[in-house]
Amino acid sequence: MSDGSVVPEPAPAPAPPPLSPPARGASPLAWLAVAAAVVGLGFLLRGLVIPIALAALLAYFLNPLAARIQDFGIRRTVSVTTVFAGVGLLVVLLATVVAPRFRAEGTALISNLPSLARTLEIGIDGLQAELVRTYPQTQRFVPKEPRHEGWLFELIEERMGNASELLAHFGLIAFIVALTPIFAFFFLRDGGAIVAYLIDRLRPVHIETTVAVWCEIDRIIGRYLRGLALDALVIGALATVGLWLVGAPYPLLLGAFTTLVNPLPYLGTVLSVGVAAIVSIANGQPIGRVGWIVVVYVIIRILDDLVVAAITIGGSVHMHPMLVMVSILVGEQTLGLLGMVAAVPLVTVVKECARLLLEHRRNLARPHVPTAGRARRIPQYVC
Amino acid sequence: MLERLPGWLGWARDTEHARRVGILARTPVFAGLPHRLLARLAVQLFEKAYAPGEAVFSEGDPGKGLFVVLDGEIEVVRDMGQGPQRIVTFGPGTAFGELALIDDLPRSASAVATTPTRLLILYRSHFEDLVAGDRVIALVVAKNLLRLLAGYVRAANVTRAKAETAVAPAPTGDASVPPAVR
């Protein structure tokens, strides 16, 4: 059917069926009951919130791969199993190749931490004394009592928690690592069927616009989140290689840190350079090495802005710098470093959803030319 | 594609997907598209069941997608001034609403299910993803859409010419040539 170009048959039909659909689907009360049940279930299973959220995110990231395999006419269960087998193989490969090196760096960092902290401590105390000597008015910002030896290491230990807390955290991490792939498998396999079921329950009069808006949100948000993750992985890998090339210490750990903080606009690079420089200085490397580390990150930043982010994320999603900063600050206050990293994607998703819904409302409110008028405007002798 | 794979892999084949691809291949908008693209489209389609009398969309609604009839029958009606009139009926394997894929104008008529009907729905965003970045595909689909539009315009001309002939005095020239194409 076309707009204004459908051709009426000369003879009118007898009695057309009614245009208003009969009410079908669940009543608002039933939806309310379902919502209450979901909230209640969520409260009972609150311990599972993190693995479920991670699994949903993982399934969302892997969905395009499963869909691509499905394109070959393969059943969903088989394509999802294939994706999981591939991801599992990749994880095993990474664990075999990268994990020993990663573990070695981690062990070395932990065992060297007291001496590294001591080096930094001497540097900080020296800088502080120099500052007070040069600008005596800064004395009031400096503790009156001289700090004892090892204060920085004690501070780090205090922030990281003691051994028993770490063991408790390890238990939680193991629980999450074990449950997440299981949930993700079922989300990935049955997510489409659940969406299809929900769509089938929608009232026909709402379905076209509702699902169209959902598709648009899914397209933009999906591209943004997947792009962000891919961008972080590529930049982390580049940082690892770059740091290794210039001889910086712990390149794998610092590369992993770069991956983690890369989604932070503006601050991500600053944090990465700062931490890499501090670790380099604390390891007794010359100041020239720090210069090379800065050069590596500047090159990576340029590559990211000009090539990597353009390919992975694209330019479809924009946020005002002020909103970015406020999001980061609120995220930091709420959940620390993880909150900072998650804040910007979360706010971007909410902002894009709101923008699309408002755009849709505006389109609905836009007056349109009556059909009969449009039909009359078709030129008669087009052929 | 999987049809060429050995029989022992038949257990992995999605028969519903194969059926959808077959229906899409017969739809004029997608005529001439390679099988791999039709297969990709088939994964993205939503399916929806309609009871007799239920409206698929109403005149004036924003057009967002293309509908393909899987089973049942859809009647398109339009208010022509003297109450709703049936314009056309779509049966299994036919598609309607294709212009929603290329413009933002509201629907020019209403579509109503007359029997228990199942439709496949393709949304514009999925369609745009399909044609984006592939000039050949975009060209094939654009040609199909143009062909459909040309068909509508020709039919409209013939209808108008018939209506004019019915009300106006008999033409003095060659009466065998319709006025619209004379």
Side-chain angles (χ1 to χ4, degrees):
Chain A
M1 200 196 61
S2 66
D3 293 314
S5 56
V6 272
V7 184
E9 288 169 1
L19 296 185
S20 321
R24 202 164 73 97
S27 67
L29 207 65
W31 282 113
L32 208 66
V34 170
V38 168
V39 170
L41 200 67
F43 180 73
L44 287 174
L45 302 175
R46 59 191 180 281
L48 296 174
V49 166
I50 293 177
I52 286 176
L54 283 176
L57 205 61
L58 183 64
Y60 192 63
F61 283 142
L62 294 177
N63 188 45
L65 281 177
R68 192 47 66 92
I69 295 173
Q70 254 191 303
D71 289 352
F72 293 94
I74 295 172
R75 283 194 294 132
R76 181 75 179 175
T77 308
V78 180
S79 53
V80 170
T81 310
T82 310
V83 167
F84 265 79
V87 171
L89 204 67
L90 194 69
V91 169
V92 169
L93 199 72
L94 281 174
T96 314
V97 177
V98 183
R101 176 80 193 148
F102 207 82
R103 198 169 50 237
E105 281 190 13
T107 314
L109 183 66
I110 288 169
S111 61
N112 292 339
L113 204 56
S115 63
L116 293 179
R118 181 69 194 134
T119 311
L120 278 178
E121 203 178 281
I122 293 167
I124 292 169
D125 286 343
L127 194 69
Q128 198 175 289
E130 179 71 28
L131 201 69
V132 171
R133 253 198 317 278
T134 317
Y135 305 102
Q137 58 271 37
T138 58
Q139 177 69 53
R140 58 197 169 118
F141 299 112
V142 175
K144 290 194 172 52
E145 295 294 317
R147 282 180 294 216
H148 63 280
E149 193 180 312
W151 64 267
L152 184 60
F153 182 63
E154 280 173 16
L155 185 73
I156 293 169
E157 268 198 327
E158 189 188 309
R159 295 303 294 260
M160 286 177 67
N162 57 34
S164 64
E165 278 176 346
L166 276 177
L167 276 179
H169 287 156
F170 181 78
L172 179 66
I173 290 166
F175 176 70
I176 290 171
V177 167
L179 279 187
T180 301
I182 298 170
F183 285 145
F185 179 87
F186 289 109
F187 277 143
L188 193 55
R189 194 189 70 167
D190 302 325
I194 293 168
V195 169
Y197 173 79
L198 290 175
I199 285 171
D200 204 40
R201 300 311 300 163
L202 274 175
R203 284 170 65 109
V205 70
H206 295 142
I207 184 171
E208 193 180 1
T209 45
T210 308
V211 183
V213 172
W214 161 252
C215 286
E216 192 63 19
I217 288 173
D218 181 44
R219 184 169 72 148
I220 292 177
I221 301 302
R223 185 173 180 201
Y224 169 68
L225 288 180
R226 288 182 195 111
L228 204 64
L230 195 62
D231 182 51
L233 285 174
V234 171
I235 295 306
L238 285 176
T240 303
V241 173
L243 291 173
W244 175 72
L245 283 175
V246 298
Y250 313 113
L252 261 180
L253 284 180
L254 291 173
F257 182 73
T258 304
T259 301
L260 179 70
V261 296
N262 189 65
L264 273 172
Y266 317 116
L267 283 182
T269 308
V270 175
L271 274 175
S272 301
V273 174
V275 169
I278 288 171
V279 170
S280 172
I281 292 168
N283 269 277
Q285 291 192 324
I287 201 78
R289 189 65 53 80
V290 176
W292 280 113
I293 289 172
V294 173
V295 169
V296 164
Y297 275 103
V298 167
I299 292 172
I300 288 175
R301 183 76 262 152
I302 293 169
L303 269 177
D304 190 18
D305 287 346
L306 295 181
V307 186
V308 185
I311 293 171
T312 53
I313 304 173
S316 57
V317 170
H318 296 286
M319 277 240 299
H320 193 279
M322 200 64 191
L323 188 57
V324 169
M325 286 302 154
V326 171
S327 313
I328 292 172
L329 285 175
V330 172
E332 198 276 331
Q333 290 294 314
T334 319
L335 279 172
L337 181 64
L338 280 179
M340 284 169 81
V341 174
V344 175
L346 194 70
V347 172
T348 307
V349 167
V350 172
K351 181 186 148 274
E352 282 300 309
C353 289
R355 183 183 68 77
L356 286 166
L357 288 171
L358 285 174
E359 202 173 278
H360 172 63
R361 278 181 69 90
R362 268 200 300 275
N363 282 345
L364 278 182
R366 202 169 55 189
H368 67 274
V369 185
T371 309
R374 280 207 315 276
R376 272 197 293 275
R377 284 208 313 274
I378 292 178
Q380 194 177 357
Y381 299 105
V382 176
C383 313
Chain B
M1 283 296 151
L2 204 64
E3 288 88 339
R4 290 184 217 124
L5 289 176
W8 59 269
L9 269 178
W11 58 271
R13 186 179 300 158
D14 187 347
T15 48
E16 176 58 26
H17 180 266
R19 192 169 77 97
R20 287 182 178 192
V21 172
I23 289 171
L24 285 180
R26 290 194 298 275
T27 308
V29 184
F30 304 117
L33 283 184
H35 187 275
R36 67 182 168 85
L37 280 172
L38 292 174
R40 193 184 301 172
L41 262 185
V43 173
Q44 292 171 337
L45 293 168
F46 289 98
E47 190 176 319
K48 170 85 180 152
Y50 292 85
E54 275 186 336
V56 179
F57 54 74
S58 300
E59 194 173 336
D61 282 354
K64 299 284 184 186
L66 164 84
F67 296 84
V68 180
V69 184
L70 267 182
D71 307 306
E73 196 178 76
I74 292 290
E75 201 168 75
V76 174
V77 292
R78 187 203 269 171
D79 192 345
M80 307 288 281
Q82 303 107 18
Q85 289 184 9
R86 189 182 69 213
I87 295 170
V88 66
T89 303
F90 293 103
T94 52
F96 59 99
E98 59 272 9
L99 288 198
L101 299 178
I102 49 175
D103 68 17
D104 275 326
L105 287 175
R107 298 286 186 193
S108 58
S110 304
V112 183
T114 52
T115 59
T117 303
R118 282 191 310 137
L119 298 179
L120 292 177
I121 313 171
L122 172 70
Y123 287 93
R124 191 190 301 162
S125 52
H126 289 149
F127 174 74
E128 284 169 354
D129 278 348
L130 178 82
V131 295
D134 193 327
R135 272 190 299 178
V136 177
I137 302 303
L139 200 65
V140 170
V141 176
K143 264 171 84 174
N144 289 339
L145 285 170
L146 278 173
R147 200 172 288 136
L148 283 167
L149 278 174
Y152 291 140
V153 174
R154 282 175 198 278
N157 279 343
V158 171
T159 308
R160 182 161 298 188
K162 277 181 187 169
E164 279 176 3
T165 315
V167 291
T172 51
D174 181 4
S176 63
V177 182
V181 291
R182 191 165 51 204

